[in-house]
């Protein structure tokens, strides 16, 4: 609030985005909610996910884990299914690992994607049996 003019939303977004990034690098999520509100408004989940993905691409695995959790939260097992949740995580970390070539994100992507492989093979076998 002290660094930006009161109605300068672009300045607030930039400042809080950097504060969130530093916070994530220190294993905390301080300033991330404030950054999302300053940059995206209160209810724009897609924008917040994009913001967290961009922070992930600029930072380390911890910020990616936080971004992945937020972006895939709507696919939690209670709301849809485990498959959708793991598919979301597989997609998120596969994208991150392809952009970053970060060993940690590749490992995480593999964990989520490998969980899906036997299930996908099993579903394919079940579909073939029904024909």
């Amino acid at each position: 609030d002290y660094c930006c003019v009161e109605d300068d939303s672009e300045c607030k977004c930039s400042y809080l985005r950097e504060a969130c990034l530093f916070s994530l690098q220190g294993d905390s999520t301080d300033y991330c909610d404030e950054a999302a509100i300053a940059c995206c408004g209160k209810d724009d989940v897609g924008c917040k996910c994009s913001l967290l993905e961009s922070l992930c691409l600029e930072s380390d695995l911890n910020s990616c884990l936080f971004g992945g959790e937020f972006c895939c939260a709507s696919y939690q097992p209670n709301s849809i299914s485990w498959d959708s949740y793991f598919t979301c995580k597989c997609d998120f970390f596969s994208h991150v690992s392809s952009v970053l070539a970060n060993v940690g994100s590749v490992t995480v992507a593999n964990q989520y994607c490998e969980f899906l492989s036997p299930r996908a093979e099993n579903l394919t076998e079940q579909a073939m049996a029904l024909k």
Side-chain angles (χ1 to χ4, degrees), residues 68-69 71-95 107-120:
E69 273 306 311
C71 294
C72 297
S74 63
Y75 297 108
Q76 289 293 336
N78 293 337
S79 64
I80 298 179
S81 74
W82 277 107
D83 288 343
S84 297
Y85 177 73
F86 280 93
T87 299
C88 178
K89 289 287 193 101
C90 174
D91 291 345
F92 182 88
F93 285 103
S94 293
H95 170 70
T107 301
V108 174
N110 288 340
Q111 289 171 350
Y112 287 109
C113 297
E114 285 174 12
F115 175 83
L116 292 169
S117 291
R119 300 177 134 235

Side-chain angles (χ1 to χ4, degrees), residues 28-99:
S28 175
T29 60
D30 293 342
Y31 305 106
C32 293
D33 286 336
E34 292 92 337
I37 291 169
C39 298
C40 302
K42 288 186 179 184
D43 299 322
D44 192 340
V45 175
C47 177
K48 184 174 180 182
C49 185
S50 294
L51 172 70
L52 292 172
E53 181 181 343
S54 71
L55 292 173
C56 164
L57 295 174
E58 294 175 30
S59 188
D60 58 10
L61 185 58
N62 288 331
S63 60
C64 294
L65 292 171
F66 179 71
E69 273 306 311
F70 175 82
C71 294
C72 297
S74 63
Y75 297 108
Q76 289 293 336
N78 293 337
S79 64
I80 298 179
S81 74
W82 277 107
D83 288 343
S84 297
Y85 177 73
F86 280 93
T87 299
C88 178
K89 289 287 193 101
C90 174
D91 291 345
F92 182 88
F93 285 103
S94 293
H95 170 70
V96 167
S97 62
S98 71
V99 172

